[in-house]
């Protein structure tokens, strides 16, 4: 039977009532897929905030505003209800499961899974840079955002933890909140009272009490600072070091994680997304290898925290976890361990002397110190905007007394942080200069061994005594270099003429991959060479970080190339075939005329163009 032709009026009605269809996504082969549907909406007043996804993990802020990461396969009934916190009954109301008669008889976990998985998959989100726990954080406008665990101070108002733009300010156990009222500076202020308290200890360097106050403020600022100076308290028994640590812990009121004999892993796993300060007691070095390794890891942790490092770590499940480290670190011990230059430059050593037997202990009760700490915190928050100008004044003053590079920032940040809580007025040039004089680089304990890596390497090499084996004359490398260049005999050697003296020096140096480079025209030698690869040099560098290993060029090569005037050369060492090495100006090795003294490297000068 033939179909009736539809009228034009009927077709127009169908077209007008048709619903628009979303554009179809295109798959990898260029074929149209099924229409994309909008993800299901969250229920009204849902207390759970889906943040996003990172791989197979979905992230949420639960009802108490804690950060929760759930793998896709863990979105089961109990986990989803757990996101509702103490409002678990609300989960059943928002995702009801109906019985045969239409009555509500439970929680529809399948529907909740669909909603939460869909909403959390709408964007990529990683907690590494976006999750912010307790501590101070830098806002987008340069101001401070303070997360006290159960409350967030932003834009001058206390708010509940939650989503602030792209950042999740997550809830944790409550820590000290700042005082409600603005605090004065000057002699009646909280900072002056704390400084007076710290000055009751017997500091070998009086300015250390002020530096410790500055470190305390830096510990509060935490992640908001571009750098966080590392403090190290040093003192034997009867110096009150343990009591001082109690004072610091009480003042900070939960803003500091105080631990004894920790591992680095235990610290970053405890901190998680917090930027609280870390105080490590009993950071002593001994002969135990495990202890040395643990202490080295703690020092490395402090170095990473200094500038805010990211630390990736693999898990047993094959997943990689990353930790962002932004904590101010304070260590304490009787003596400091051997430190590499890159670590020494980040650390301020504050030394304590023994307390007089008759000295009375100050009031260090919690009843006094907690309110005092709250006042200091309020003072630090209110003074944040004045920190850059104060730091600039101290940069100028410290450079005038010989500081440069990192030490300007380390000492300048601590002094500036102390000033913003101590005084109301801007730091003046004269006041900054008076304090900087006490940290003159020429008398500073932290700068006693402040050599660059290349200078430290040269000092090590020149002080080595060779030959290491056999009988006969032994002397330092520096003395053999002088003998090879000048022909001057060292005490105890009687070799005859100058040529014989030089030949003996050449022979000994050659055994260890070194030689004096003599000009063909017969002039004075100006350079000596160190081989890139040589068994003798490997022996001289055993148990140092410049040591070599089988099949690889020794670490001494890179150190040698950084010396001023050093450049690549090809030489024969000890009669072996020509091999590559580094030519170094002899003037760096022959400073002074005392052959028995261990010479130090000369100050760096500009490297001639084309030499490297």
């Amino acid at each position: 039977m033939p179909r009736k032709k539809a009228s034009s009026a009927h077709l127009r009605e169908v077209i007008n009532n048709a619903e628009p269809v979303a554009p179809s996504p295109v798959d990898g082969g260029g074929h149209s897929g099924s229409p994309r549907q909008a993800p299901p909406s969250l229920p009204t007043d849902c207390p759970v905030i889906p943040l996003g996804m990172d791989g197979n993990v979905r992230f949420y802020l639960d009802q108490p505003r804690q950060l929760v990461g759930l793998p896709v396969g863990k979105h089961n009934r109990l986990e989803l209800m757990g996101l509702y916190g103490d409002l678990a009954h609300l989960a059943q109301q928002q995702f009801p499961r109906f019985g045969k008669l239409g009555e509500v008889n439970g929680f529809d976990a399948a529907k909740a899974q669909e909603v939460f998985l869909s909403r959390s998959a709408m964007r990529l989100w990683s907690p590494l840079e976006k999750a912010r726990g307790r501590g101070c954080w830098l806002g987008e406008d340069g101001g401070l955002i303070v997360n006290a665990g159960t409350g967030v101070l932003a834009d001058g108002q206390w708010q509940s933890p939650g989503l602030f733009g792209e950042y999740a300010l997550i809830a944790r156990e409550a820590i000290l909140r700042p005082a409600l009222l603005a605090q004065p500076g000057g002699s009646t202020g909280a900072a002056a009272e704390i400084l007076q308290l710290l000055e009751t200890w017997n500091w070998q360097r009086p300015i250390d009490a002020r530096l410790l106050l500055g470190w305390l403020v830096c510990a509060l600022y935490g992640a908001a600072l571009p750098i966080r100076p590392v403090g190290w308290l040093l003192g034997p028994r009867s110096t009150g070091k343990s009591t001082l640590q109690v004072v610091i812990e009480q003042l900070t009121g939960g803003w500091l994680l105080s631990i004894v004999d920790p591992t680095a892993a235990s610290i970053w796993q405890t901190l998680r997304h917090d930027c609280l300060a870390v105080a490590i007691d009993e950071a002593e070095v001994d002969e135990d290898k495990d202890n040395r390794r643990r202490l080295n890891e703690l020092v490395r942790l402090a170095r990473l925290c200094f500038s805010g490092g990211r630390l990736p770590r693999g898990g047993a499940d094959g997943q990689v976890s990353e930790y962002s480290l932004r904590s101010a670190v304070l260590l304490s011990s009787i003596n400091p361990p051997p430190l590499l230059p890159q670590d020494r430059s980040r650390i301020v050593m504050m030394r304590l002397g023994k307390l007089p037997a008759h000295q009375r202990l100050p009031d260090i009760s919690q009843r006094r110190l907690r309110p005092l700490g709250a006042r200091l915190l309020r003072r630090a928050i209110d003074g944040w905007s004045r920190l850059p100008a104060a730091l600039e004044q101290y940069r100028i003053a410290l450079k005038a007394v010989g500081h440069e590079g990192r030490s300007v920032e380390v000492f300048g940040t601590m002094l500036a942080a102390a000033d913003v809580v101590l005084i109301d007025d801007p730091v003046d040039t004269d006041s900054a200069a008076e304090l900087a004089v006490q940290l003159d680089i020429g008398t500073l304990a932290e700068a006693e061994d402040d050599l660059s890596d290349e200078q430290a390497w040269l000092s090590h090499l020149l002080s080595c005594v060779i030959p290491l084996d056999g009988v006969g004359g032994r002397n330092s490398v520096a003395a053999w270099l002088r003998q090879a260049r000048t022909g001057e005999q060292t005490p105890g050697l009687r070799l005859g003429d100058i040529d014989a003296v030089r030949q003996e020096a050449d022979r000994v140096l050659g055994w260890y991959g070194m030689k004096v480079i003599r000009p063909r025209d017969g002039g004075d030698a100006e350079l000596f060479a160190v081989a890139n690869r040589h068994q003798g040099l490997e022996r001289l560098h055993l148990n140092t970080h410049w040591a070599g290993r089988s099949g690889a060029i020794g670490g001494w090569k890179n150190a040698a190339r950084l010396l001023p005037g050093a450049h690549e050369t090809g030489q024969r060492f000890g009669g072996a075939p020509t091999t590559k090495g580094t030519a170094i100006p002899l003037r760096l090795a022959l400073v002074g005329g005392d052959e028995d003294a261990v010479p130090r490297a000369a100050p760096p000068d500009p490297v001639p163009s084309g030499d490297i």
Side-chain angles (χ1 to χ4, degrees):
M1 184 175 180
R3 288 184 298 177
K4 294 182 179 180
K5 188 179 294 185
S7 67
S8 60
H10 177 69
L11 289 174
R12 187 176 297 111
E13 182 181 357
V14 172
I15 294 173
N16 290 339
N17 293 329
E19 295 184 0
V21 179
S24 299
V26 178
D27 61 25
H31 301 287
S32 296
S34 59
R36 181 185 295 273
Q37 297 181 353
S41 300
L42 286 169
T44 303
D45 298 328
C46 180
V48 181
I49 301 177
L51 297 173
M53 60 184 291
D54 185 14
N56 191 45
V57 181
R58 305 293 194 262
F59 291 98
Y60 305 94
L61 286 179
D62 64 8
Q63 183 270 332
R65 294 301 181 256
Q66 299 178 108
L67 180 66
V68 179
L70 283 183
V72 170
K74 294 292 185 180
H75 284 62
N76 55 47
R77 179 178 178 275
L78 289 178
E79 294 284 3
L80 292 174
M81 292 191 69
L83 293 175
Y84 279 76
D86 60 2
L87 299 178
H89 64 281
L90 188 59
Q92 179 174 305
Q93 297 177 19
Q94 295 187 340
F95 296 98
R97 185 183 63 195
F98 298 98
K100 293 181 179 180
L101 300 179
E103 77 283 6
V104 176
N105 66 356
F107 171 61
D108 191 343
K111 181 60 177 177
Q113 287 174 358
E114 178 187 358
V115 172
F116 285 125
L117 284 172
S118 298
R119 301 301 299 187
S120 61
M122 291 182 65
R123 64 171 177 172
L124 300 178
W125 192 89
S126 170
L128 178 63
E129 296 295 338
K130 301 292 181 64
R132 295 180 165 183
R134 294 171 296 183
C136 284
W137 303 87
L138 190 64
E140 293 181 356
D141 60 352
L144 278 185
I145 297 177
V146 182
N147 186 351
T150 55
V152 175
L153 180 62
D155 299 325
Q157 294 183 342
W158 283 101
Q159 307 173 47
S160 297
L163 199 58
F164 290 72
E166 290 291 312
Y167 299 96
L169 275 294
I170 60 180
R172 296 290 302 275
E173 183 181 353
I175 56 176
L176 184 73
R177 290 196 180 194
L180 292 175
L181 301 177
Q183 298 298 308
S187 59
T188 61
E193 185 177 346
I194 293 172
L195 180 59
Q196 185 179 14
L197 173 63
L198 297 177
E199 286 174 342
T200 60
W201 274 261
N202 182 21
W203 299 100
Q204 292 189 10
R205 188 172 58 186
I207 198 173
D208 281 350
R210 193 182 190 98
L211 290 174
L212 182 56
L213 173 62
W215 182 89
L216 273 169
V217 178
C218 292
L220 299 175
Y221 284 148
L225 289 172
I227 65 164
R228 285 150 291 278
V230 181
W232 202 307
L233 295 174
L234 297 169
R237 295 178 181 176
S238 303
T239 59
K241 180 158 54 69
S242 297
T243 305
L244 179 59
Q245 290 165 335
V246 171
V247 169
I248 294 171
E249 185 177 0
Q250 292 291 346
L251 283 171
T252 50
W255 285 71
L256 178 140
L257 179 64
S258 182
I259 40 184
V260 179
D261 197 30
T263 63
S266 68
I267 293 175
W268 69 63
Q269 289 170 2
T270 300
L271 285 172
R272 291 191 285 177
H273 303 293
D274 291 338
C275 63
L276 304 178
V278 177
I280 303 171
D281 193 12
E282 304 295 338
E284 305 289 350
V285 62
D286 57 34
E287 297 304 318
D288 181 67
K289 289 184 179 180
D290 290 338
N291 171 270
R292 286 179 174 270
R293 183 175 62 254
R294 182 184 62 85
L295 188 54
N296 287 338
E297 290 176 351
L298 293 174
V299 171
R300 178 173 176 267
L301 177 71
R303 183 171 73 243
L304 292 173
C305 289
F306 175 87
S307 53
R310 295 172 61 171
L311 189 69
R313 283 294 180 267
D317 57 356
Q319 298 294 322
V320 176
S321 299
E322 282 193 294
Y323 299 86
S324 190
L325 304 172
R326 299 185 181 93
S327 299
V329 178
L330 180 70
L331 301 102
S332 65
S333 62
I334 296 175
N335 295 300
L339 296 169
L340 295 174
Q342 62 265 35
D343 295 322
R344 287 196 300 268
S345 63
R346 292 169 167 83
I347 296 174
V348 175
M349 299 288 185
M350 296 170 280
R351 300 177 184 272
L352 291 164
K354 290 191 175 183
L355 293 170
H358 61 276
Q359 182 166 326
R360 297 178 58 186
L361 274 178
D363 179 7
I364 57 171
S365 64
Q366 180 175 326
R367 184 177 58 182
R368 177 198 180 192
L369 296 183
R370 282 298 173 90
L372 199 54
R375 293 168 57 199
L376 178 70
L377 178 56
R378 176 60 188 260
R379 181 72 185 169
I381 293 170
D382 292 344
W384 170 252
S385 62
R386 297 188 289 114
L387 184 65
L391 177 56
E392 187 57 34
Q393 286 290 346
Y394 280 109
R395 285 191 182 116
I396 297 170
L398 289 166
K399 288 177 181 177
V401 293
H403 288 260
E404 58 184 11
R406 188 173 289 142
S407 70
V408 172
E409 301 302 315
V410 170
F411 286 98
T413 299
M414 293 174 77
L415 290 172
D419 267 16
V420 299
V421 295
L422 282 169
I423 61 176
D424 292 314
D425 299 324
V427 180
D428 63 84
T429 305
D430 292 340
S431 299
E434 289 177 5
L435 291 171
V437 166
Q438 300 181 54
L439 298 169
D440 190 300
I441 201 71
T443 59
L444 198 65
E446 286 86 345
E448 289 175 354
D449 193 23
D450 189 20
L451 294 177
S452 65
D453 187 66
E454 61 270 22
Q455 290 174 325
W457 167 77
L458 186 60
S459 292
H460 167 81
L461 178 69
L462 297 177
S463 63
C464 290
V465 176
I466 56 176
L468 297 176
D469 308 308
V471 296
R474 301 175 71 230
N475 219 320
S476 68
V477 169
W480 286 116
L481 288 172
R482 185 181 300 278
Q483 183 173 313
R485 180 178 186 267
T486 65
E488 298 175 2
Q489 294 188 40
T490 55
L493 294 180
R494 295 291 183 267
L495 298 174
D497 59 25
I498 289 178
D499 288 340
V501 172
R502 285 177 171 169
Q503 290 173 9
E504 174 66 8
D506 288 343
R507 185 173 63 87
V508 174
L509 290 170
W511 291 344
Y512 296 92
M514 293 174 282
K515 69 176 295 185
V516 170
I517 303 174
R518 296 189 176 87
R520 294 181 179 179
D521 60 9
D524 290 337
E526 300 295 337
L527 300 167
F528 76 100
V530 176
N532 291 346
R533 300 174 186 266
H534 199 280
Q535 184 178 2
L537 283 169
E538 289 178 1
R539 296 182 66 191
L540 296 182
H541 290 94
L542 283 176
N543 300 319
T544 74
H545 70 282
W546 303 295
R549 64 175 185 175
S550 178
I553 293 177
W556 64 80
K557 174 200 165 182
N558 292 328
R561 291 290 171 88
L562 292 174
L563 289 167
H567 58 271
E568 184 177 319
T569 185
Q571 300 290 333
R572 299 181 64 187
F573 296 94
T578 302
T579 186
K580 288 184 178 181
T582 302
I584 302 169
L586 268 167
R587 62 180 173 80
L588 301 181
L590 304 181
V591 178
D594 183 5
E595 294 174 341
D596 296 326
V598 177
R600 296 175 67 89
D605 58 9
V607 178
S609 177
D611 281 352
I612 300 300

